[in-house]
Amino acid sequence: RSSMVVALFVLLVCLSPAVLDTPQQSLLTRALIFGLMAASLDIAYGHAGLASLGHAALAGVGGYTVGILMVKHDIDSFWIGIGAAVIMSAAVSLVFGMLALRAKGLYFILATFTLGQMLSNLAQQWSALKSPGVEAIVGISWPSFGFIDNWSPAAVLRAVLVIVVLAFLAMKRILGSPFGLALRGVRDNSERMEALGYHAWAYKLGAMVVSGSFAGLAGALFAYHSGIIAPSNIGIAASGVLVLMVILGGSGTTYGPLFGGIAVTIIQFRVVTTSTRFSQRWKPLGQEKSRSEACLRSLTAVRMIKMNGITKMKKLTTIAAAPVIRGSERFIRDPAFCSAPSSKARPAWRSG
């Protein structure tokens, strides 16, 4: 049944450019990339029990690798860039694992947090990881596959979809292998697995390397799609969002992190656009650009008082001073207030 759901999802994504405009196609592409990134974290978190707060840094290694190759060395081959990103991310994951796995539980989480922040700070301080004049690598474009050069938003969406599907098939094969079964055994009872002859530490290290490799792939796709890779993309905030995606989708499941990543990415976009629209429409009292706005707020509060039959002066002053606290939704939406350009302008309700 889950395979049928995934097949239907892939079909819908393939057909979606026919009904989605360019920004929506770009958002869906980004959501697929973050779904892959969340699924890569779930290999270590959901299947090996290794909660990491430095996973975005491993994805950032892949992003910075393709950025450096393309911007600084003019290597725009997809195959070279992706291969280098996966290898570099796997190598850094190996170092991360050898250091962080010396600790357990909360201390392991703190170790991954520290290592991730070290990479973020390195990206901020090292000039080799910056484009001239900015704190990031910019100018990254979609690479050449060798047989496709003209990349429309729909073509990029379908290419990312194919890569994500192939990556998920590889993940499913790995997690269904004896290695994946041993990982779940180590997660549930590492002491018992040790008694059975399994080297629990080595399996955990392998889980971190595999997880980091897929994270590097997702990070490279993110850099190609966004055109930029910056320290803010690999810090603790980004890692925390990835953990949220895994938890929301269901850790330890096959496709849950993918759908969790897609859902959180779309929710983030909607929240940002809604909050931006609301902040442009309303400013709290005391933050007006001019005195006229404060006067108009007070006049609108008086109007509210008249409409509601409130005549006591103490309530007048209270509402005029804090209209938001006292139920000012009506006055915020008042077209006369919103359109009045200056203190000399008379609201429509006062004319006549």
Side-chain angles (χ1 to χ4, degrees):
R1 182 179 299 177
S2 62
S3 299
M4 292 180 61
V5 172
V6 173
L8 179 60
F9 171 76
V10 171
L11 180 62
L12 290 175
V13 173
C14 286
L15 298 177
S16 62
V19 296
L20 299 180
D21 56 21
T22 298
Q24 291 172 337
Q25 293 175 26
S26 179
L27 175 61
L28 184 55
T29 304
R30 183 183 179 91
L32 288 173
I33 293 171
F34 274 99
L36 175 59
M37 204 177 296
S40 68
L41 172 60
D42 191 55
I43 296 175
Y45 178 43
H47 294 272
L50 301 173
S52 172
L53 285 179
H55 196 72
L58 300 178
V61 171
Y64 271 98
T65 299
V66 297
I68 291 173
L69 288 176
M70 179 170 288
V71 175
K72 296 183 179 293
H73 299 285
D74 295 326
I75 299 176
D76 64 348
S77 171
F78 173 83
W79 312 106
I80 295 176
I82 289 295
V86 171
I87 292 172
M88 288 297 297
S89 297
V92 175
S93 301
L94 179 64
V95 176
F96 266 38
M98 295 179 67
L99 295 174
L101 286 173
R102 298 170 64 89
K104 295 181 179 180
L106 177 62
Y107 298 103
F108 173 82
I109 298 175
L110 293 176
T112 57
F113 162 72
T114 303
L115 293 169
Q117 285 301 108
M118 286 176 59
L119 284 186
S120 179
N121 292 335
L122 180 65
Q124 289 179 333
Q125 302 297 328
W126 196 7
S127 59
L129 300 179
K130 302 177 185 178
S131 293
V134 293
E135 297 289 329
I137 295 182
V138 298
I140 307 171
S141 60
W142 195 253
S144 172
F145 274 64
F147 51 88
I148 300 178
D149 293 325
N150 186 16
W151 289 101
S152 64
V156 171
L157 173 59
R158 293 189 176 103
V160 169
L161 176 64
V162 171
I163 295 169
V164 169
V165 169
L166 293 176
F168 263 87
L169 292 176
M171 286 184 195
K172 190 174 181 180
R173 187 64 180 267
I174 292 172
L175 296 174
S177 68
F179 172 76
L181 298 176
L183 284 183
R184 290 189 282 278
V186 170
R187 175 198 64 190
D188 296 335
N189 195 329
S190 60
E191 290 80 7
R192 187 173 183 178
M193 293 296 289
E194 290 276 3
L196 292 174
Y198 291 88
H199 198 325
W201 186 89
Y203 276 95
K204 290 180 180 179
L205 182 61
M208 290 200 66
V209 172
V210 174
S211 175
S213 300
F214 283 104
L217 171 62
L221 293 177
F222 172 81
Y224 283 143
H225 177 253
S226 301
I228 181 175
I229 185 73
S232 60
N233 301 132
I234 66 175
I236 179 62
S239 295
V241 171
L242 291 178
V243 173
L244 175 62
M245 293 174 179
V246 173
I247 294 174
L248 181 64
S251 63
T253 59
T254 305
Y255 303 109
L258 170 65
F259 294 110
I262 293 173
V264 170
T265 303
I266 295 175
I267 291 171
Q268 275 185 313
F269 175 78
R270 296 304 303 172
V271 168
V272 170
T273 54
T274 303
S275 62
T276 302
R277 192 180 302 117
F278 182 77
S279 64
Q280 291 175 349
R281 184 177 183 183
W282 171 76
K283 296 183 292 294
L285 192 67
Q287 296 183 9
E288 295 86 357
K289 292 183 179 179
S290 64
R291 239 176 182 190
S292 60
E293 294 188 9
C295 294
L296 287 173
R297 284 181 181 272
S298 299
L299 290 174
T300 310
V302 174
R303 179 194 178 195
M304 290 177 58
I305 293 170
K306 289 183 177 181
M307 292 174 63
N308 294 319
I310 303 173
T311 57
K312 293 185 178 180
M313 182 57 68
K314 60 180 182 179
K315 289 194 175 182
L316 168 62
T317 56
T318 301
I319 296 177
V324 179
I325 300 175
R326 300 298 180 185
S328 59
E329 295 174 351
R330 229 159 170 192
F331 115 80
I332 292 173
R333 296 171 183 169
D334 182 19
F337 164 70
C338 296
S339 61
S342 66
S343 59
K344 295 182 180 179
R346 293 166 60 88
W349 56 270
R350 296 211 46 188
S351 60

